[in-house]
Amino acid sequence: MRIVTIANEKGGVGKTTVAVNLAAALGLAGSRVLLIDLDSQGHATQWLGIPKDKVNPERSAYGVLTRKATVAKTAVRSGEERVTLCPAHVLLAHVAAELNVSIDGVFVLREALRASLPFDFVVIDCPGAKGAVVFNALIAADLVLAPVRAEILSLEGLTELTATVEKVRERFSPHLPPPRILINDYDGRSAADRSIGDYVRREHGAQVFDVVLGRDAPLRECYGAQQSIFRYRPSARSAAGFRELATEVREVRDV
């Protein structure tokens, strides 16, 4: 089982979009996928058709992190092929305090995922902030996938994430490679986007995925339809991009 954590310490870079549609792409390619929503806003949970106010806290990612539930007991089917969801709950916003009082609080998710689970991939959607919840997701990970937009603030979030991953490697997970970078929401007609995209590839080289996800109206619309891009508009450019991303993720040697 491979664990892919989607993270960037800056909001608005497309983490949830990548998490949901990568999970769907992996599922369509034949893998059994668990998507864990660790963001208290619950956007991935709502995207897959589950209202946040209908989630039982003890059958959610909050329940897993507070050791009130196993991962298996939180799992619910989604409408996406071979994709199962561990939903978010609003109490995730307060779980950091509960984790910090425990000496092993940053290892809870890794321990929970060591159980025998019927999945080939786990995809974890993180909040755009530092803290014990994100540390749990990084420590559990085999691969950290960092979406970035072609803008300075997004790159600052990547720099902070890279430093955090290095701390995790030094203290907790020596096997964890540096983040793999996905250029997202890219407009090739924009000189600014091209300049920043070139900079990212020049500075990070092989850490950058070959696929680039461009701006795509159907991808923005499918959240409202509570469907992945593959169900909403399978012919969209972004659907082809996510299929390519899923192939690259499967081929990453570090995972």
Side-chain angles (χ1 to χ4, degrees), residues 62-224:
Y62 169 79
V64 173
L65 290 181
T66 54
R67 296 188 173 94
K68 296 174 181 176
T70 64
V71 171
K73 287 188 176 181
T74 69
V76 294
R77 290 184 179 181
S78 78
E80 306 298 327
E81 188 170 346
R82 299 187 187 89
V83 177
T84 300
L85 175 69
C86 173
H89 191 275
V90 68
L91 288 175
L92 281 165
H94 308 290
V95 77
E98 298 182 50
L99 293 171
N100 286 333
V101 299
S102 171
I103 193 169
D104 61 347
V106 292
F107 300 105
V108 175
L109 187 57
R110 184 167 77 178
E111 293 169 357
L113 290 173
R114 283 178 171 171
S116 179
L117 296 168
F119 303 106
D120 302 303
F121 281 92
V122 177
V123 177
I124 304 174
D125 186 25
C126 289
K130 295 180 180 179
V133 172
V134 174
F135 263 96
N136 263 271
L138 295 177
I139 290 170
D142 299 305
L143 170 70
V144 178
L145 192 163
V148 297
R149 297 180 65 187
E151 58 182 28
I152 297 301
L153 290 178
S154 179
L155 297 183
E156 289 178 357
L158 172 63
T159 299
E160 293 172 7
L161 174 66
T162 300
T164 301
V165 169
E166 184 59 32
K167 290 178 183 177
V168 169
R169 290 180 66 185
E170 291 175 355
R171 301 177 186 179
F172 309 114
S173 299
H175 72 283
L176 185 62
R180 291 297 182 104
I181 301 163
L182 173 67
I183 300 174
N184 185 41
D185 197 31
Y186 180 80
D187 183 356
R189 299 168 299 178
S190 164
D193 281 29
R194 293 197 304 272
S195 176
I196 293 179
D198 290 344
Y199 169 82
V200 170
R201 292 198 181 278
R202 188 167 59 249
E203 291 296 310
H204 298 281
Q207 287 177 241
V208 186
F209 285 107
D210 290 336
V211 65
V212 174
L213 296 179
R215 292 180 186 167
D216 191 28
L219 189 60
R220 297 173 183 270
E221 297 164 2
C222 62
Y223 174 81

Side-chain angles (χ1 to χ4, degrees), residues 238-255:
S238 53
F242 275 108
R243 289 190 189 97
E244 185 177 342
L245 176 63
T247 298
E248 290 197 60
V249 166
R250 289 197 306 271
E251 293 176 350
V252 170
R253 294 179 182 178
D254 301 325
V255 180

